């Protein structure tokens, strides 16, 4: 069985229906979506970067498995009367129709009743290999995880037993093609290395562990790369910084207020670094990033067996910050139950882990931050009034970037150095025009947004060259220098474009320059009901200039 011919796939093609007016695409009864491969590539990269190769591979394998299993149901339905090989190759044929990969069978031996299966296929044009190489270059391990999951899911559903496919060659490792081989899982001696990617697994514990590592790494990075954490000399900045310096000498609880992206964590860290606690840990927690059911165990710790899934005792952030500073960002998002516990910790100076009777003394300075109006949250019943008063002993408002225009240039210079080093790119600097645009912009996302824009500029500007406006802003309406108007058709368009259209229409209508001037002047005089000063204003000329033109006209007439 070396050459397997695919039957015509018209039966499969006819199952695909595009219903744009309903906003739906169907493959028989399965809803499908037509998605950009680039979007999948971006998702894949996000997964790899956020969760690491193993978790990303597991998620994508399982995604592929689910879609393969769906297609196996379809195969049995559409080719029920056909021979088993023709029915089975619905899988490879759909995989091609769906745009993943070109599949060429090398060998296929199967007996559904006896549970025997051996399949070997060559893959060309693997989309996963393509996007992986595009993002990361060639690798030493096969990377077509989702497609392999599809093959395993399809075959397992078809055979009614777990058939595991392995990629023995992959285009991403430098081969011309990918090669996959599938056998029942029991027949693979090294199955245990592959089956974990098919298993559901709580990634939460991994995430928590990773977050701890990230915190530690970030702490060390911030110290080594930014000895000067805070940059600014504007009045608003200096006022806030003075308050921080004064608080540093004491143990007072500090509440940082300000819009999103103003750098509240940096202020908190500066407070820690200049305090007597500097040698002890600085621990940051974003309350909005934690699921409500996890927030208490994260903050206060958990004792083994406190709830299902608590396999080991774990110290909370309070214990980890002992002797140092705990920064609670977006405290307004904290659920009420956790607020009650937090209040008790602040009052007693001691914590109890979840599921533990023991009370532990802790010595932590709390710095809380919020970008919402906590007083309003208290009124609305979302935030405890007693906790609010405890936190609001020493509020410090960090001004938004638009009130710190004087700081933009020094901030940009520091960012150019940092991102230049990060991306191994030297830029000469930023043009005046671009800097002006930065100063005119309203910065709803504050310093974080400035960082994003400068990073993009560093990437887009040519090596050793200047960053220009178009390297910074993708949408020109983001800053004030281009004017937009609603045109005759109700579309938003810029002023230059309107003038162009107007000229075109005047010339097309055969109107001469003198005629145009006369018509404009008459129009303005009529609009201002004979008031010549008003007419001059409408025409954006001075009254004497208008007089001169009127006289000229009279003389000619
Ligand atoms: Zn591959």
């Amino acid at each position: 069985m070396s050459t397997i011919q695919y039957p015509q796939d018209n039966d499969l093609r006819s199952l695909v229906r595009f219903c744009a007016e309903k906003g739906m695409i169907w493959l028989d009864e399965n809803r499908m979506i037509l998605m950009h491969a680039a979007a999948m590539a971006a998702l894949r990269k996000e997964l790899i970067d956020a969760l690491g190769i193993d978790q990303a591979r597991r998620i994508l394998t399982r995604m592929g498995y689910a879609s393969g299993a769906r297609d196996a149901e379809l195969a049995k339905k559409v080719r029920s009367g056909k021979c088993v090989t023709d029915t089975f190759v619905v899988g490879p044929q759909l995989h091609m129709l769906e745009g993943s990969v070109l599949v060429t069978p090398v060998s296929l031996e199967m007996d559904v009743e006896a549970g025997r299966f051996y399949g070997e296929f060559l893959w060309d044009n693997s989309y996963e290999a393509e996007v992986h190489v595009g993002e990361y270059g060639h690798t030493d391990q096969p990377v077509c995880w989702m497609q392999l999951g599809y093959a395993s899911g399809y075959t397992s559903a078809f055979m009614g037993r777990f058939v595991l496919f392995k990629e023995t060659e992959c285009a991403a490792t430098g081969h011309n093609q990918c090669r996959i081989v599938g056998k029942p899982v029991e027949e693979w001696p090294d199955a245990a290395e592959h089956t974990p990617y098919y298993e559901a697994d709580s990634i939460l514990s991994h995430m928590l562990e990773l977050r701890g590592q990230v915190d530690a790494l970030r702490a060390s990075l911030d110290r080594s790369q930014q000895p000067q954490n805070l940059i600014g000399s504007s009045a608003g900045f200096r006022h806030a910084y003075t308050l921080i310096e004064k608080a540093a000498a004491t143990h007072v609880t500090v509440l940082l207020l300000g819009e999103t992206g103003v750098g509240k964590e940096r202020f908190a860290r500066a407070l820690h670094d200049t305090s007597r606690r500097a040698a002890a840990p600085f621990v940051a927690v974003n309350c909005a990033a934690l699921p409500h059911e996890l927030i208490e165990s994260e903050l206060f710790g958990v004792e083994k067996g406190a709830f299902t899934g608590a396999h080991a005792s774990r110290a909370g952030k309070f214990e980890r910050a002992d002797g140092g500073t705990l920064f609670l960002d977006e405290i307004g998002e904290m659920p009420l139950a956790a607020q009650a516990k937090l209040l008790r910790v602040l009052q007693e100076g001691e914590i109890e882990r979840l599921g533990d009777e023991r009370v532990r003394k802790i010595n932590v300075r709390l710095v809380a931050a919020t970008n919402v109006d906590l007083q309003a949250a208290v009124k609305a019943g979302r935030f405890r009034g007693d906790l609010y008063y405890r936190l609001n002993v020493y509020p410090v408002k960090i001004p938004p970037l638009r009130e710190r225009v004087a700081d933009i240039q020094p901030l940009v210079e520091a960012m150019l150095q940092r991102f230049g080093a990060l991306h191994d790119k030297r830029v000469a600097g930023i043009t005046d025009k671009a800097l002006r645009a930065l100063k005119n912009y309203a910065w709803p996302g504050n310093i974080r947004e400035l960082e994003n824009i400068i990073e993009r500029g560093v990437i887009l500007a040519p090596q050793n060259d200047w960053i220009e406006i178009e390297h910074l802003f993708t949408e020109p309406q983001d800053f004030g220098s281009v004017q937009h108007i609603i045109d005759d058709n109700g579309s938003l368009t810029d002023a230059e474009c309107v003038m162009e259209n107007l000229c075109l229409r005047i010339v097309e209508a055969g109107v001469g320059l003198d005629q145009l001037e006369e018509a404009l002047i008459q129009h303005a005089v009529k609009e201002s009901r004979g008031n010549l000063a008003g007419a001059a204003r409408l025409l954006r000329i001075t009254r004497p200039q208008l007089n001169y033109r009127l006289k000229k006209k009279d003389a000619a007439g």
Side-chain angles (χ1 to χ4, degrees), residues 173-251:
T173 65
H175 286 90
N176 290 333
Q177 298 157 306
C178 308
R179 182 186 295 271
I180 62 165
V181 176
K183 294 191 282 193
V185 65
E186 304 78 17
E187 295 175 26
W188 289 106
D190 59 348
E193 285 172 31
H194 298 265
T195 50
Y197 297 110
Y198 292 84
E199 284 159 16
D201 176 17
S202 161
I203 63 169
L204 222 45
S205 56
H206 295 275
M207 284 182 71
L208 291 173
E209 189 186 314
L210 283 168
R211 190 183 298 140
Q213 292 174 9
V214 168
D215 284 348
L217 277 173
R218 193 164 57 185
S220 63
L221 266 180
D222 281 359
R223 285 213 180 81
S224 59
Q225 289 194 347
Q226 306 165 304
Q228 180 110 41
N229 248 336
L230 292 174
I231 293 168
S233 54
S234 64
F237 174 87
R238 282 206 314 265
H239 178 65
Y241 191 72
T242 308
L243 289 175
I244 291 291
E245 271 183 320
K246 289 189 174 152
T250 71
H251 294 296

Side-chain angles (χ1 to χ4, degrees), residues 19 22-33 70:
C19 308
K22 290 260 167 66
M24 290 166 149
I25 303 171
W26 296 97
L27 174 65
D28 193 36
E29 310 254 313
N30 293 302
R31 184 164 179 183
M32 309 291 280
I33 49 169
R70 286 283 180 111

Side-chain angles (χ1 to χ4, degrees), residues 398-455:
I398 300 164
L401 188 54
R402 66 183 166 280
E403 291 172 16
R404 298 175 52 190
V405 175
D407 294 335
I408 286 182
Q409 188 161 8
L411 282 167
V412 167
E413 276 162 12
M415 288 172 190
L416 287 180
Q417 286 206 341
R418 181 149 56 92
F419 291 125
L422 185 67
H423 297 292
D424 203 11
K425 179 97 170 258
R426 196 202 155 267
V427 290
I430 183 163
T431 66
D432 293 342
K433 203 174 160 200
L435 187 61
R436 230 191 93 206
L438 294 178
K439 287 181 177 173
N440 285 335
Y441 182 61
W443 300 111
N446 291 296
I447 295 194
R448 196 175 304 143
E449 187 181 9
L450 177 64
E451 275 180 329
N452 292 344
I453 283 183
I454 296 300
E455 182 168 20

Side-chain angles (χ1 to χ4, degrees), residues 26-218:
W26 296 97
L27 174 65
D28 193 36
E29 310 254 313
N30 293 302
R31 184 164 179 183
M32 309 291 280
I33 49 169
L34 184 62
M35 200 172 158
H36 292 263
M40 274 304 294
L43 172 67
R44 203 172 191 277
K45 182 175 179 345
E46 291 278 338
L47 286 173
I48 293 172
D49 293 352
L51 305 175
I53 285 267
D54 273 355
Q55 285 296 344
R57 176 175 167 187
R58 195 184 61 78
I59 290 168
L60 292 169
T61 303
R62 287 171 57 80
M63 243 174 108
Y65 191 95
S67 87
R70 286 283 180 111
D71 282 356
E73 291 164 21
L74 201 57
K76 290 178 182 165
K77 189 172 153 189
V78 279
R79 290 197 187 149
S80 56
K82 304 279 166 51
C83 77
V84 67
T85 307
D86 280 3
T87 310
F88 181 80
V89 295
V90 165
Q93 287 185 294
L94 280 177
H95 217 183
M96 293 193 280
L97 193 62
E98 289 162 10
S100 297
V101 64
L102 165 63
V103 189
T104 309
V106 175
S107 167
L108 180 60
E109 293 158 31
M110 59 190 298
D111 183 337
V112 180
E113 258 98 85
R116 277 197 307 108
F117 184 90
Y118 180 85
E120 189 175 337
F121 301 86
L122 287 176
W123 277 348
D124 286 273
N125 308 331
S126 157
Y127 112 87
E128 264 185 303
E130 197 174 295
V131 299
H132 194 96
V133 171
E135 197 61 56
Y136 299 98
H138 281 99
T139 61
D140 52 355
Q141 293 291 325
V143 299
C144 303
W145 307 318
M146 198 162 142
Q147 291 168 192
L148 201 66
Y150 178 96
S152 300
Y154 178 83
T155 311
S156 298
F158 195 93
M159 295 294 296
R161 64 181 300 182
F162 188 12
V163 176
L164 179 73
F165 270 83
K166 271 171 60 174
E167 201 176 2
T168 55
E169 293 168 13
C170 180
T173 65
H175 286 90
N176 290 333
Q177 298 157 306
C178 308
R179 182 186 295 271
I180 62 165
V181 176
K183 294 191 282 193
V185 65
E186 304 78 17
E187 295 175 26
W188 289 106
D190 59 348
E193 285 172 31
H194 298 265
T195 50
Y197 297 110
Y198 292 84
E199 284 159 16
D201 176 17
S202 161
I203 63 169
L204 222 45
S205 56
H206 295 275
M207 284 182 71
L208 291 173
E209 189 186 314
L210 283 168
R211 190 183 298 140
Q213 292 174 9
V214 168
D215 284 348
L217 277 173
R218 193 164 57 185

Side-chain angles (χ1 to χ4, degrees), residues 352-526:
E352 269 174 48
R353 290 181 179 179
L354 262 63
D356 193 9
E357 256 95 82
R358 198 146 42 114
V359 165
R360 297 159 204 259
K361 274 269 166 218
I362 46 137
N363 167 19
V364 169
R365 183 219 293 271
L366 185 69
V367 179
T370 180
N371 53 27
V372 300
D373 182 350
L374 281 186
Q375 251 176 318
V378 170
K379 280 205 188 96
R382 288 191 310 273
F383 204 84
R384 293 182 66 107
D386 44 9
L387 178 59
Y388 170 67
Y389 292 115
R390 241 200 198 255
L391 294 175
N392 199 34
V393 182
Y394 195 88
V396 177
K397 184 173 183 298
I398 300 164
L401 188 54
R402 66 183 166 280
E403 291 172 16
R404 298 175 52 190
V405 175
D407 294 335
I408 286 182
Q409 188 161 8
L411 282 167
V412 167
E413 276 162 12
M415 288 172 190
L416 287 180
Q417 286 206 341
R418 181 149 56 92
F419 291 125
L422 185 67
H423 297 292
D424 203 11
K425 179 97 170 258
R426 196 202 155 267
V427 290
I430 183 163
T431 66
D432 293 342
K433 203 174 160 200
L435 187 61
R436 230 191 93 206
L438 294 178
K439 287 181 177 173
N440 285 335
Y441 182 61
W443 300 111
N446 291 296
I447 295 194
R448 196 175 304 143
E449 187 181 9
L450 177 64
E451 275 180 329
N452 292 344
I453 283 183
I454 296 300
E455 182 168 20
R456 181 162 72 217
V458 167
I459 292 167
L460 290 180
Q463 185 81 7
N464 292 324
D465 216 331
W466 292 85
I467 296 181
E468 297 176 359
I469 286 193
E470 58 264 37
H471 300 135
L472 299 175
F473 293 96
T474 48
E475 291 157 305
Q477 67 266 31
D478 277 353
F479 49 92
S481 62
V482 175
Q483 290 191 1
H484 282 77
I485 338 181
I486 311 282
D487 69 13
D488 298 354
N489 304 319
S491 316
L492 208 57
T493 173
D494 64 55
E496 250 174 70
C497 181
V498 165
M499 192 56 85
E500 189 112 327
N501 285 334
L502 191 60
C503 295
L504 192 71
R505 274 152 68 182
I506 290 165
V507 170
E508 273 174 358
V511 180
L513 189 56
D514 287 342
Q515 215 184 335
L516 178 67
E517 184 180 305
E518 196 189 331
L520 263 177
I521 290 172
Q522 274 178 10
H523 175 79
V525 171
K526 205 171 108 196

